[in-house]
Amino acid sequence: MGIIRKLLAWLSVPIICFFALIPYLARPFNPDNNRLLGRTVARFGRWILGMERPLQGMENMPTDRPTVVIANHQHNDDLFVLADLLPKRGVVAGKSSLVWIPFFGQVFWLGGNVILNRSRSHKAVALMKTTSEAIARDRKSFWVFPEGTRSKGRGLLPFKKGAFHAAIASGAPITMICAAHYEDKTIGWTGRRETVPVRILPPIETSELNTSNLPELMNKCHRLMAEAIADLDKNAKP
């Protein structure tokens, strides 16, 4: 049953994205489309998987100003665990190969999300600078997986600098979202997925920081997230 649930959950993604093309084409590059799509895909996917996602600290997500969101990245299933937490007017940083996924890639592009080419780091840095301008000018929030890749059970990996450059350049606070460690495990004969608790930490202000504070800021965020994930893991229940 677990395999069937996962197959159905992932089959639902292109179907939902196909129907989402209507609002995306009606108002292209409007970031509010991303939030609606994220909610639909994540909540429907968790329902199919039979996954519970207890959430702590939702009050820490800024609602009156843009923010740079960083979250730990474990598996592709993070889409179902985290996507409905995208803040208002939020855009996501994703690798360029995502645009070739049928229907998902088209709505990802039409949502005005940030497409990164990992093989061209100098262009990625320039793109982050442009993103910081959009945060300040258009009041967009920006979601990044700072590890740059899926950890797949290896713990919280070292962070890349892009999200922190964008936060400092725009003066936007950094909001940290931490998901407990999870694997592709099922519970019982129904194939229900294990519970994945998530915690949103209080934002860290960056308005008084500059690039000289970058290493300290990265280390602080990594430490706070690692501590929160360890605490979630300790208290997690199936």
Side-chain angles (χ1 to χ4, degrees), residues 122-143:
H122 63 288
K123 289 190 175 182
V125 172
L127 192 56
M128 286 296 183
K129 291 181 179 179
T130 302
T131 301
S132 67
E133 294 171 3
I135 293 171
R137 183 185 65 246
D138 302 329
R139 296 187 61 79
K140 291 180 179 179
S141 290
F142 183 40
W143 180 301

Side-chain angles (χ1 to χ4, degrees), residues 94-121:
K95 56 186 179 181
S96 57
S97 59
L98 290 176
V99 300
W100 301 108
I101 300 175
F103 304 123
F104 180 87
Q106 287 72 56
V107 297
F108 191 82
W109 178 72
L110 284 168
N113 293 293
V114 180
I115 300 171
L116 301 175
N117 188 331
R118 293 177 180 173
S119 64
R120 300 180 180 180
S121 58

Side-chain angles (χ1 to χ4, degrees), residues 25-147:
L25 289 171
R27 48 179 196 177
F29 307 111
N30 186 327
D32 289 330
N33 291 332
N34 298 327
R35 192 172 185 227
L36 177 60
L37 179 64
R39 284 183 173 184
T40 305
V41 168
R43 294 177 183 182
F44 190 64
R46 288 201 302 271
W47 177 74
I48 294 175
L49 292 170
M51 176 193 289
E52 294 184 8
R53 200 259 347 246
L55 179 62
Q56 306 168 14
M58 188 61 197
E59 68 277 4
N60 291 323
M61 179 66 76
T63 58
D64 58 344
R65 53 182 174 155
T67 183
V68 173
V69 177
I70 60 174
N72 56 315
H73 192 14
Q74 301 181 68
H75 306 282
N76 288 333
D77 286 353
D78 289 347
L79 179 66
F80 305 125
V81 177
L82 300 173
D84 57 335
L85 300 179
L86 188 68
K88 294 179 180 178
R89 296 188 58 76
V91 296
V92 181
K95 56 186 179 181
S96 57
S97 59
L98 290 176
V99 300
W100 301 108
I101 300 175
F103 304 123
F104 180 87
Q106 287 72 56
V107 297
F108 191 82
W109 178 72
L110 284 168
N113 293 293
V114 180
I115 300 171
L116 301 175
N117 188 331
R118 293 177 180 173
S119 64
R120 300 180 180 180
S121 58
H122 63 288
K123 289 190 175 182
V125 172
L127 192 56
M128 286 296 183
K129 291 181 179 179
T130 302
T131 301
S132 67
E133 294 171 3
I135 293 171
R137 183 185 65 246
D138 302 329
R139 296 187 61 79
K140 291 180 179 179
S141 290
F142 183 40
W143 180 301
V144 185
F145 291 112
E147 297 159 281

